[in-house]
Amino acid sequence: MCGIVGCVAEEPVAGVLLEGLRRVEYRGYDSAGMATIEGGALEVRKGVGRVSEIEERRKMSAMAGTIGMAHTRWATHGRVTDENAHPHTSCGELVAVVHNGIVENYGQLKKGLASRGHRFRSETDTEVIAHVVEEEYRRSKDPLRATLSATKKLKGQYAIAVMFQDRPDLMVGARKDAPLIVGVGEKKMFLASDVLAFIGHTDRTIFLDNREVAVLTKDGVKIVGPDGRSVKRRPTQVAWELSDVSKSDFAHYTLKEINEQPQTVVSASIQETERVEAFARAIRKAKTLYITASGTSYHAGLLMKFRLNKEARIRAEAVVAGELKEHAGFLGRGSVVIAFSQSGETADVLEAVKEAKKLGAKVYSIVNAAGSTLARESDGFMLLNCGPEVGVAATKSFTAQVVVANLVVDAVLGGRHSNGSKELSEAVTEALKCDGQVRDLVKEYMDRPDFYFVARGYESPVALEGALKLKELSYIHAEGMAASELKHGTLALIEKGTPVVVLNPTGGTHADSLSSAEELKARGADVIGISDAADDVYRRFIRVPKVQPKFTPIVEVIPLQLLAYHAAVARKNDPDYPRNLAKSVTVK
Ligand code: G6P
């Protein structure tokens, strides 16, 4: 939930850091800051607001120094204030730290430090780290050893970058349960929460493991394990390109990512047969099978569960990641957990798979970020191949997840998976043509306090996704549910003009959903139909193309994503950075 970027180079780094900061801003946008060392002095500029606002006020890009680090914050400990923004420094500005995570024992550490004369300027857990490192550094005079010993005192999760005022030649990084990646450039080394921060400067990366500590100089990196012994790690190449992180001609990343989906569904379907088969074998053999994820990824997981249960007759449970441990009674040796996560860094998901592994389960994951913690900790993984997703609300990663899940289910069913899907891509292109209709819809409904999304069977998770998207981006209260549940409570909320979206492709549940639409209309609702077939019951109708049943969620989610996006814009919200949310929720 916070973004870190650090750089050690030959030339001034402030520009590179600011660029990186903008790219990791999706991880947190309460406040931001930068620290550099120049002429023996450590300088910090920081404050509350978006990166551009702080740059405007504090001119971070003008900071001198060939070493520096920057941070975007999503507050966990301490309010959103200038003082609580990172970087934090120790007494006498000897040590500066940026941090992502939560130090659970910071209260206790702070008491001890205060009794030894340390004075604190913020309410954060991070500042405590700076003071602990400083104590260790004064003792050992060794940045690596000081950081290593300091991290041993921390309970909780952390990814940190540390600078020492009297060592402008190096930066130290350490992590536990939060991502930290080294970027290996030419006379320019990076430390970041996400490879996006340094794409364009280098595509060579080293993903640090838990409890490792790395020391970066402009010429290279030295990594040690928790025992202080040196660890050899070769850089791996990342496939993402610089153009993947630009908005192109789109007003927002979210809109760009929605419009990328005709390509997304093709690239997601290009998978090695052996990987797909490995998933399928694990599913067939599983004694108990769980699907776990958070947010939008969970909705993709629900779709997979539906097909496994209904078509493959394999019992699968889908449980939100934060709740998986409550199902531990059925998790053990022989169990399989399939985890969906765009980032591969969501703390709830990582915690869930950790618990499941402890109990003996095997973990297979579907992730977008290669090298992410989830991918590395899984017994098998498949990549979404949809390129970086910057908008906080997941859009293209959802469609990619559905494509990948479908390949796996097809393999379980014994079918050969097809590489590339022209038909689906064309259908998505067709679905995107509803943009104008969606804008009209938004004009009419943007001031309504509530929205409902209903569907049946395989479509139900898409109703949940439609409601989630609208809440996240427009801040309009929205609920998604199985249409059959309406009469058990929610109908009481339907008044004249209440907008209700009914997802209703022709096929299995079509007639039943039409009945629900009639029920809603009879109670005054404005029924908005999304389907391949029009009907008089719909006050407004958005046609999506007819596709194979397993692909209906993909074409139906497109108008819902556009609805959320345009509602956000109409209501003057920033669709890329919705309030109070972060893309990668790396705290529990
Ligand atoms: C956050 C994001 C959501 C996302 C969820 C899971 O809450 O705001 O858009 O669906 O995390 O993220 P993941 O990276 O695990 O798919």
Side-chain angles (χ1 to χ4, degrees), residues 196 240 244 260 267 342 368 384-390 396-397:
L196 294 184
W240 292 351
D244 292 340
E260 274 171 15
S267 40
Q342 186 283 129
N368 194 29
L384 298 178
N385 297 328
C386 65
E389 189 178 64
V390 179
K396 63 176 179 172
S397 63

Side-chain angles (χ1 to χ4, degrees), residues 376-433:
R376 284 180 301 138
E377 293 188 354
S378 300
D379 296 283
F381 69 88
M382 283 166 74
L383 294 177
L384 298 178
N385 297 328
C386 65
E389 189 178 64
V390 179
V392 165
T395 53
K396 63 176 179 172
S397 63
F398 174 75
T399 46
Q401 285 167 338
V402 180
V403 168
V404 175
N406 275 334
L407 293 178
V408 174
V409 179
D410 291 348
V412 171
L413 289 166
R416 281 179 59 79
H417 82 269
S418 53
N419 267 345
S421 175
K422 197 163 167 277
E423 173 209 343
L424 180 59
S425 175
E426 284 168 4
V428 174
T429 306
E430 193 57 35
L432 282 163
K433 292 186 183 153

Side-chain angles (χ1 to χ4, degrees), residues 131-148:
H131 292 269
V132 176
V133 175
E134 187 211 62
E135 276 198 346
E136 295 295 334
Y137 186 57
R138 289 199 189 278
R139 210 168 288 153
S140 68
K141 301 273 178 268
D142 179 335
L144 189 151
R145 275 175 52 202
T147 310
L148 191 60

Side-chain angles (χ1 to χ4, degrees), residues 17-253:
L17 290 178
L18 186 66
E19 180 190 37
L21 206 50
R22 289 197 163 117
R23 300 219 202 119
V24 294
E25 194 174 13
Y26 73 86
R27 301 179 68 90
Y29 30 93
D30 290 346
S31 34
M34 194 184 286
T36 60
I37 304 173
E38 170 65 7
L42 204 158
E43 190 192 0
V44 176
R45 295 188 192 177
K46 61 183 186 179
V48 168
R50 295 285 300 274
V51 171
S52 53
E53 293 160 9
I54 301 155
E55 169 62 7
E56 185 76 34
R57 288 201 306 271
R58 308 286 332 264
K59 302 275 174 289
M60 295 183 289
S61 58
M63 291 168 78
T66 57
I67 180 168
M69 59 194 193
H71 184 269
T72 59
R73 178 168 189 244
W74 191 88
T76 53
H77 280 63
R79 289 160 302 147
V80 180
T81 62
D82 288 348
E83 295 71 33
N84 288 341
H86 300 211
H88 289 283
T89 51
S90 66
C91 308
E93 315 284 304
L94 179 58
V95 173
V97 174
V98 291
H99 166 223
N100 172 21
I102 292 179
V103 180
E104 286 161 8
N105 59 337
Y106 87 104
Q108 195 191 339
L109 290 169
K110 196 169 178 174
K111 247 191 227 160
L113 288 159
S115 70
R116 294 191 292 279
H118 291 261
R119 291 287 160 264
F120 294 88
R121 284 167 285 187
S122 78
E123 306 157 331
T124 63
D125 50 345
T126 306
E127 189 184 353
V128 168
I129 306 177
H131 292 269
V132 176
V133 175
E134 187 211 62
E135 276 198 346
E136 295 295 334
Y137 186 57
R138 289 199 189 278
R139 210 168 288 153
S140 68
K141 301 273 178 268
D142 179 335
L144 189 151
R145 275 175 52 202
T147 310
L148 191 60
S149 337
T151 54
K152 289 193 172 149
K153 296 188 173 163
L154 309 178
K155 290 211 175 89
Q157 316 154 261
Y158 56 81
I160 53 171
V162 191
M163 291 194 322
F164 300 82
Q165 168 265 325
D166 57 353
R167 292 301 305 270
D169 57 324
L170 59 82
M171 178 179 302
V172 185
R175 67 155 272 182
K176 181 179 161 270
D177 296 335
L180 195 63
I181 303 157
V182 176
V184 181
E186 278 305 312
K187 299 269 178 211
K188 198 184 271 174
M189 298 290 292
F190 295 87
L191 203 52
S193 314
D194 192 316
V195 291
L196 294 184
F198 51 75
I199 278 180
H201 297 282
T202 179
D203 58 2
R204 299 170 69 221
T205 57
I206 299 174
F207 293 88
L208 295 179
D209 275 338
N210 268 346
R211 296 181 189 280
E212 285 180 349
V213 178
V215 182
L216 281 67
T217 63
K218 67 179 177 13
D219 299 311
V221 58
K222 176 181 170 186
I223 302 171
V224 299
D227 52 5
R229 286 213 199 128
S230 170
V231 175
K232 287 267 163 286
R233 189 77 54 71
R234 288 236 177 118
T236 52
Q237 213 146 352
V238 288
W240 292 351
E241 308 263 334
L242 188 58
S243 58
D244 292 340
V245 288
S246 78
K247 284 189 217 160
S248 307
D249 292 334
F250 291 95
H252 297 99
Y253 285 111

Side-chain angles (χ1 to χ4, degrees), residues 294-297 340-344 346 349 392-394 401 472 582-583 585:
S294 303
T296 291
S297 295
F340 285 70
S341 174
Q342 186 283 129
S343 61
T346 300
V349 178
V392 165
Q401 285 167 338
E472 277 178 299
K583 182 151 192 72
V585 184

